[in-house]
Amino acid sequence: MKILKKGDIVVIVIIIVLSLIPMLFFKNEFNSDNAKIIVSQDSKIIGTYELNTGSNSQYIEFDFEMDGKKYKATLETKNSQVRLLRLPKEVVPKSIHADMSWIGDDSKIIVALPAKLVISIENSKTDSEIDSIAI
């Protein structure tokens, strides 16, 4: 007794082929040459920095405030990627933000709570692209 017939196999192959077609048209066109590192705290941008495309590490220090006190944080960037180094324990008791490691495109972010810091990469293309229009 056969489990699959020839017609079943044809239908499965057609479904697989049809599911792969969108990958040909919708590619992630992230260009790290135009990318910027965006640092925001509590939904306000507090810094914009260049993303290092070289293989040597560059360190970027920036200031942020929490509970009326000023603190320093450090970003490490290399190979078109960025990571947030460990913040002081009195600001962020757990090192989850440092354990997130490197991000290299605009689909990922680094979050440091309770400092409400968000590190993201933004690709600033020169041509205007519209993702969607709502009427």
Side-chain angles (χ1 to χ4, degrees), residues 41 64-71:
Q41 183 178 26
F64 69 95
E65 264 187 54
M66 187 175 148
D67 298 330
K69 294 181 184 176
K70 286 196 174 203
Y71 295 96

Side-chain angles (χ1 to χ4, degrees), residues 46-62:
I46 60 171
T48 303
Y49 308 100
E50 293 290 326
L51 185 65
N52 178 18
T53 58
S55 60
N56 292 330
S57 290
Q58 288 182 349
Y59 296 93
I60 301 166
E61 284 192 355
F62 64 93

Side-chain angles (χ1 to χ4, degrees), residues 22-66:
M23 290 182 0
L24 299 173
F25 298 106
F26 302 109
K27 296 178 185 174
N28 185 6
E29 296 178 8
F30 185 79
N31 184 1
S32 63
D33 295 336
N34 299 326
K36 302 266 187 220
I37 303 167
I38 307 295
V39 179
S40 58
Q41 183 178 26
D42 204 14
S43 301
K44 296 176 189 112
I45 295 177
I46 60 171
T48 303
Y49 308 100
E50 293 290 326
L51 185 65
N52 178 18
T53 58
S55 60
N56 292 330
S57 290
Q58 288 182 349
Y59 296 93
I60 301 166
E61 284 192 355
F62 64 93
D63 296 324
F64 69 95
E65 264 187 54
M66 187 175 148

